[in-house]
């Protein structure tokens, strides 16, 4: 009986390790990243934004997002904070890149991560609102 807690810890660790991909874990919620196109140009309405996000493992494909509309995707983070999704953003003749989810930067800040995409960069909304200029 004295060994029981240790076994539980090992079990939990194994469960988290194997579950941290795309498994269903009620206590390890999905992270949802949402991006809203708020790019304004000289003309009356904002241009459509083409978003293409990838991680090392996944290519989420190219999506055209009209002005003031949103695009989102979800995934599960892991304990080691190695999750990284990077995106390209294209409109008019512009092509920008941004790490839309960097676990080291974002994992402790949000799991429903909402971003606005503007001509000069991306802003993460919420209590710890922060804007990042394009690199
Ligand atoms: C992001 O948007 C969702 C859905 O509208 C909302 O529930 C959530 O609280 C928002 N998160 C932040 C950090 O603002």
């Amino acid at each position: 009986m004295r060994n029981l807690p240790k076994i539980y810890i090992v079990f939990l660790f194994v469960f988290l390790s194997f579950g941290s991909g795309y498994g269903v874990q009620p206590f390890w919620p999905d992270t949802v990243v949402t991006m809203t196109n708020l790019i304004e140009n000289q003309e009356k309405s904002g241009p459509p934004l083409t978003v293409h996000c990838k991680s090392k493992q996944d290519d989420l494909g190219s999506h055209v997002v009209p002005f003031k509309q949103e695009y989102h995707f979800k995934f599960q983070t892991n304990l080691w904070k190695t999750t990284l999704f990077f995106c390209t953003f294209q409109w008019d003749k512009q092509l920008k890149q941004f790490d839309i989810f960097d676990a080291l930067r974002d994992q402790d800040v949000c799991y429903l991560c909402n971003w606005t995409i503007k001509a000069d960069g991306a802003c993460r909304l919420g209590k710890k609102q922060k804007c990042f200029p394009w690199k």
Side-chain angles (χ1 to χ4, degrees):
M1 282 308 264
R2 285 182 60 201
N3 285 331
L4 210 54
K6 235 184 223 167
I7 286 167
Y8 270 118
I9 288 164
V10 169
F11 175 77
L12 184 65
F13 185 75
V14 168
F15 188 66
L16 284 174
S17 310
F18 283 97
S20 62
Y22 288 90
V24 175
Q25 287 173 301
F27 58 92
W28 195 259
D30 281 344
T31 297
V32 183
V33 171
T34 302
M35 289 157 263
T36 304
N37 171 6
L38 290 185
I39 288 171
E40 308 206 46
N41 59 10
Q42 273 71 22
E43 287 129 53
K44 283 157 275 153
S45 64
L49 174 67
T50 302
V51 182
H52 191 164
C53 300
K54 294 179 191 179
S55 69
K56 259 187 195 163
Q57 293 83 26
D58 295 297
D59 185 332
L60 303 179
S62 186
H63 298 267
V64 178
V65 184
F67 183 53
K68 289 193 174 168
Q69 301 287 301
E70 56 152 68
Y71 164 64
H72 68 270
F73 63 91
K74 60 182 171 184
F75 53 93
Q76 289 205 311
T77 53
N78 60 48
L79 283 176
W80 299 274
K81 299 191 181 169
T82 55
T83 311
L84 180 71
F85 279 93
F86 44 95
C87 307
T88 58
F89 298 93
Q90 272 179 280
W91 73 94
D92 298 336
K93 280 171 184 155
Q94 302 290 323
L95 172 61
K96 306 292 184 185
Q97 280 190 55
F98 187 67
D99 294 337
I100 204 72
F101 190 87
D102 177 346
L104 291 173
R105 183 192 66 201
D106 302 320
Q107 192 158 324
D108 295 332
V109 179
C110 57
Y111 71 95
L112 299 173
C113 305
N114 303 324
W115 291 82
T116 54
I117 308 301
K118 299 182 180 176
D120 55 0
C123 295
R124 187 184 58 212
L125 306 178
K127 263 183 238 155
K128 293 188 178 175
Q129 175 152 348
K130 196 167 177 196
C131 293
F132 300 82
W134 302 120
K135 283 174 203 163

